[in-house]
Amino acid sequence: MLAIRSKLANKLGAINVAKKAFFSSEIDHLSANGGFNFELTEDQKEYQQLSRKFAVEEIIPRAAHYDKTGEYPWDLIKKAFDLGLMNTHIPQKYGGLGLSNFDGCLITEELAYGCTGVSTAIEANSLGQAPVILAGNDEQKKKYLSRMVEPGQEKPLMSAYCVTEPVAGSDVAGIKTRAEKKGDEYVLNGQKMWITNGGYANWYFVLARTNSDPKCPASKAFTGFIVEADSKGVIKGRKEWNMGQRASDTRGITFEDVIVPKENVLGAEGAGFKIAMGAFDLTRPPVAAGAVGLARRAFEEAKKYAVERKTMGKLIAEHQAVAFLLAEMAIGIESARLCYQKAAWQIDRGERNTYLASIAKALGGDVANKCATDAVQIFGGNGFNTEYPVEKLMRDAKIYQIYEGTAQIQRLIISRELLSAK
């Protein structure tokens, strides 16, 4: 019997050595060829650590102030600009860092951990710039992207994405803003609503109808324009006092006989809808990353509280009901992070990521709301009080199920992608 065991042990030992050698060589092979890999590069780790340090040391101490006052966080935006934590997607050719979508998502998750109102103000620049990066010609990119990263700015330049209207949010095809061509110019008239950075933008991406035929399909009826914010006829509405993310500037923008030169048409007349929707493929992964950042903050605040607070003679974390809430948070955060990272990875490879971007956005928004709600529940009565951080997280979370395509619109996109797949 001992002899048999000895032989089995020797065989198993040899097999384990062979397995280790095999898998080691396979890992080296995969790494060398850029295969499936969860390891961040050294540069990515630096971006992540820098933005995490900025969130903890700069954003969190100021977040409550901006939430209460609704002031625009210029000091934090300026510091983020100086550190290279905004406008990260602008190509190096035009003075930017040229970071990948994946890299930008790593930064956004950390900034959102600090305050999603601040991170939204910063990240909205990427949304405004996305159509120009996607469809702008060389002259447009030089003029409108390069200015965003010029060093020595007293206040960083901001941009905004003007698509949503008072009666056209999810129904983009219902946009009423019109642009009428007159010679070498277009005359723009209409009203946009819920425009992030609207009051501080240097320029806007504006989607407007250029084909008056109501039967014309959306894919041909709209045109995208770059509009200077100081153009005559641009009227900025009041800042909206929202439920959450109050550091972010949101307001209506009205265009009254605004003259736009033909040189500011993005792509071609009639290509605006495709450009506007294509921009979402670029920006939904970072939005999902922001939702994960908020969810992670809610989880960590709840976990910290749960290992300090005692009821019935023991820490509340030792009660299964609370422990399971924390476990559910962790499950959601890890899952949502993988989704946004895969969506970002796919677009960085030059692949269409509409399906995964919508999954990431839908799941991220739902996870953020569940984690924030459960964090308030773990805090109990204290969670309902403004002296504790989780009530703000709960208010901030809701918008992730609304902006850049509602939770329902994401499911509509996902189902269409599923049913149209060959």
Side-chain angles (χ1 to χ4, degrees):
M1 183 67 73
L2 289 173
I4 294 173
R5 286 183 180 178
S6 179
K7 286 181 180 180
L8 285 173
N10 289 335
K11 284 185 178 180
L12 287 172
I15 290 171
N16 286 332
V17 170
K19 284 169 64 179
K20 184 178 290 186
F22 172 78
F23 285 115
S24 177
S25 64
E26 283 297 297
I27 290 170
D28 290 341
H29 172 74
L30 287 172
S31 298
N33 290 279
F36 195 63
N37 190 351
F38 288 107
E39 182 69 22
L40 298 179
T41 67
E42 290 304 313
D43 283 345
Q44 288 170 339
K45 290 176 183 176
E46 287 184 17
Y47 302 144
Q48 188 181 58
Q49 290 300 320
L50 176 62
S51 49
R52 183 172 296 174
K53 179 179 172 67
F54 180 70
V56 172
E57 296 183 0
E58 301 288 347
I59 297 179
I60 290 177
R62 300 280 290 157
H65 168 78
Y66 289 116
D67 181 58
K68 292 175 182 176
T69 66
E71 295 172 10
Y72 199 60
W74 274 123
D75 60 332
L76 295 176
I77 290 173
K78 179 67 164 64
K79 289 177 181 178
F81 177 86
D82 292 340
L83 288 171
L85 298 178
M86 62 184 291
N87 304 317
T88 59
H89 305 309
I90 292 178
Q92 292 181 359
K93 179 180 179 180
Y94 304 104
L97 293 174
L99 298 189
S100 67
N101 196 284
F102 188 97
D103 296 340
C105 285
L106 294 177
I107 292 171
T108 299
E109 180 182 333
E110 299 303 328
L111 298 183
Y113 177 91
C115 174
T116 55
V118 173
S119 69
T120 294
I122 292 171
E123 186 59 32
N125 256 22
S126 297
L127 177 59
Q129 295 159 10
V132 180
I133 293 173
L134 190 66
N137 58 41
D138 188 59
E139 289 303 312
Q140 290 170 336
K141 291 178 180 178
K142 285 180 180 177
K143 183 175 181 179
Y144 291 101
L145 297 181
S146 295
R147 72 168 70 168
M148 306 300 288
V149 291
E150 289 178 357
Q153 297 179 22
E154 182 179 348
K155 285 185 177 180
L157 297 181
M158 311 304 287
S159 59
Y161 181 91
C162 293
V163 173
T164 301
E165 297 187 0
V167 294
S170 296
D171 181 19
V172 177
I175 283 175
K176 303 298 183 185
T177 297
R178 295 182 178 276
E180 183 182 355
K181 191 173 183 180
K182 293 187 176 181
D184 290 337
E185 300 172 329
Y186 288 81
V187 181
L188 187 66
N189 282 282
Q191 184 181 6
K192 300 296 182 178
M193 192 60 194
W194 310 117
I195 306 306
T196 305
N197 286 349
Y200 299 97
N202 178 261
W203 54 268
Y204 305 111
F205 165 74
V206 180
L207 188 65
R209 178 177 284 275
T210 46
N211 189 315
S212 59
D213 183 357
K215 295 182 180 180
C216 181
S219 59
K220 298 179 180 180
F222 300 97
T223 301
F225 298 91
I226 304 170
V227 180
E228 299 274 5
D230 61 359
S231 299
K232 183 179 179 181
V234 174
I235 303 169
K236 301 174 183 178
R238 63 176 177 82
K239 173 187 167 68
E240 298 294 331
W241 187 255
N242 293 327
M243 174 182 176
Q245 296 200 7
R246 292 171 179 165
S248 170
D249 178 76
T250 309
R251 64 183 74 205
I253 306 293
T254 301
F255 302 93
E256 291 186 357
D257 293 328
V258 176
I259 305 299
V260 184
K262 68 176 184 179
E263 291 79 14
N264 281 29
V265 170
L266 276 175
E269 184 173 313
F273 186 84
K274 182 179 179 180
I275 294 168
M277 295 303 100
F280 285 138
D281 287 347
L282 292 172
T283 60
R284 279 176 179 152
V287 170
V292 171
L294 185 150
R296 200 181 93 223
R297 175 73 182 284
F299 167 74
E300 292 186 7
E301 294 287 354
K303 180 183 173 184
K304 179 182 176 183
Y305 186 81
V307 297
E308 294 175 351
R309 169 79 163 153
K310 286 186 176 182
T311 63
M312 305 170 195
K314 59 182 178 181
L315 297 171
I316 62 171
E318 295 173 344
H319 294 291
Q320 189 181 74
V322 173
F324 277 19
L325 286 177
L326 293 171
E328 289 291 339
M329 288 184 191
I331 291 168
I333 292 165
E334 295 293 342
S335 302
R337 181 182 290 116
L338 288 174
C339 280
Y340 87 63
Q341 290 184 345
K342 188 173 181 181
W345 168 84
Q346 192 172 36
I347 197 75
D348 286 338
R349 286 166 56 90
E351 300 174 3
R352 184 171 177 270
N353 74 336
T354 303
Y355 173 70
L356 284 176
S358 287
I359 289 177
K361 168 66 168 62
L363 181 60
D366 290 349
V367 167
N369 276 271
K370 186 178 188 309
C371 285
T373 301
D374 287 348
V376 170
Q377 193 68 25
I378 289 171
F379 271 70
N382 289 335
F384 197 65
N385 188 277
T386 58
E387 294 300 313
Y388 293 82
V390 290
E391 66 85 26
K392 176 183 180 297
L393 297 177
M394 189 173 179
R395 289 187 287 106
D396 288 347
K398 186 56 194 174
I399 194 65
Y400 280 109
Q401 292 178 319
I402 300 174
Y403 65 9
E404 290 214 35
T406 66
Q408 290 70 37
I409 287 295
Q410 302 312 315
R411 285 161 172 80
L412 179 64
I413 293 169
I414 294 163
S415 61
R416 283 177 175 172
E417 291 290 315
L418 284 172
L419 296 173
S420 65
K422 295 180 180 178

